[in-house]
Amino acid sequence: LYERLSRYLRMTTESDKAFEAIERALELVPASPPSEERARVLAGYSGRLSLIGRLREAGAVAEQAVIMARDVGAKVVECGALNTVGIVTCYLDDDVKGLRQIADALALAKAAGDPYQQMRSHWNLHVCASEAGRWEESVARARQAITELPRLGHGHQLPEMYRYLQEDLVKLGRFDQARATADEAIGRFSARRDEALSVHLLIALGEFDTARRVISRRDIFEDEEDRMEM
């Protein structure tokens, strides 16, 4: 319960309380013998560590969680911890290896039939590819996520993913495709144009006044943790 509380507190951006809750979970679940509960708490702890910038430590704890989850046959916990391992690897060491680890986590999540971990994997594959400057792969991952998120019960995340897709297309200089993507989002969600277009696309189109209005309403420089599902 404390592990789950920590996850929800993180979603409401109460980072300090989220960390306190996961530390309490660590105190309550013994390290020995190995258990699914301990592996789950370790996976959650690694995620919280990553969000406060302690990436090396987060990777080490996530690897412990992967090993323990495999030992006790906790497939869902394993793919969640492997997701965090992949993110840390992407940011600190090797984006090719890290993306492969996240793809492995996605395959595990599909095999386990877990929609939440599948959603995490789709988001993290897109974000890590984008952060690594692998724009073609990032575009492909965003399109894949747009297809899969509704099936996984996360259709509410589509407007945000559409905007990130536009940003990647702008980085590739594909302004026509970015505009078409925005039009698709407008048609799909009946959204206002300034809500559907990414700020970077508005700037690329020279619509600076609209971009300023959007920036004043929307924090486009959100913490990366809001974009990632660590």
Side-chain angles (χ1 to χ4, degrees):
L1 286 171
Y2 271 107
E3 184 275 330
R4 182 62 60 89
L5 175 62
S6 175
R7 185 195 304 178
Y8 291 153
L9 286 168
R10 176 260 167 190
M11 291 177 178
T12 59
T13 69
E14 296 189 59
S15 299
D16 290 343
K17 291 181 179 179
F19 204 80
E20 290 173 4
I22 199 65
E23 286 184 317
R24 179 59 178 149
L26 279 172
E27 293 172 357
L28 290 170
V29 182
S32 182
S35 65
E36 178 175 348
E37 290 79 8
R38 181 69 180 184
R40 186 181 301 279
V41 170
L42 287 172
Y45 184 50
S46 68
R48 301 302 91 75
L49 286 170
S50 67
L51 294 178
I52 61 172
R54 292 161 62 178
L55 294 181
R56 292 287 182 197
E57 188 177 354
V61 173
E63 287 173 356
Q64 292 177 34
V66 169
I67 292 169
M68 185 174 292
R70 286 174 180 166
D71 287 346
V72 299
K75 296 296 184 183
V76 173
V77 178
E78 178 186 349
C79 63
L82 187 57
N83 237 307
T84 302
V85 171
I87 292 166
V88 171
T89 302
C90 280
Y91 272 78
L92 294 183
D93 299 310
D94 183 340
D95 56 89
V96 174
K97 180 181 178 181
L99 286 164
R100 185 169 63 248
Q101 290 169 327
I102 300 171
D104 289 344
L106 175 59
L108 282 171
K110 287 181 177 178
D114 189 276
Y116 176 74
Q117 293 299 339
Q118 289 180 62
M119 177 274 293
R120 281 188 69 211
S121 299
H122 283 298
W123 267 105
N124 291 334
L125 283 168
H126 160 67
V127 172
C128 288
S130 181
E131 289 295 308
R134 303 168 68 89
W135 311 125
E136 295 285 359
E137 182 173 355
S138 182
V139 166
R141 293 298 187 181
R143 293 193 188 283
Q144 183 182 24
I146 285 170
T147 299
E148 293 294 319
L149 288 175
R151 181 183 65 80
L152 298 171
H154 291 272
H156 60 283
Q157 296 179 340
L158 285 177
E160 187 177 11
M161 184 60 76
Y162 266 105
R163 288 195 295 271
Y164 286 128
L165 174 56
Q166 292 168 46
E167 292 178 2
D168 287 340
L169 290 168
V170 168
K171 289 167 186 171
L172 286 166
R174 298 177 184 170
F175 302 122
D176 290 342
Q177 290 184 32
R179 279 194 293 263
T181 298
D183 291 340
E184 181 182 334
I186 291 170
R188 189 166 184 177
F189 307 112
S190 299
R192 294 202 316 267
R193 186 172 180 279
D194 59 351
E195 292 177 339
L197 270 67
S198 79
V199 171
H200 294 96
L201 178 55
L202 287 167
I203 293 170
L205 295 174
E207 299 184 25
F208 304 122
D209 289 340
T210 304
R212 289 189 185 95
R213 288 198 300 272
V214 172
I215 291 170
S216 69
R217 294 199 311 269
R218 186 200 311 159
D219 182 8
I220 64 162
F221 301 107
E222 297 168 311
D223 290 340
E224 273 300 307
E225 67 183 76
D226 294 327
R227 189 177 177 186
M228 280 186 226
E229 292 294 337
M230 288 182 168

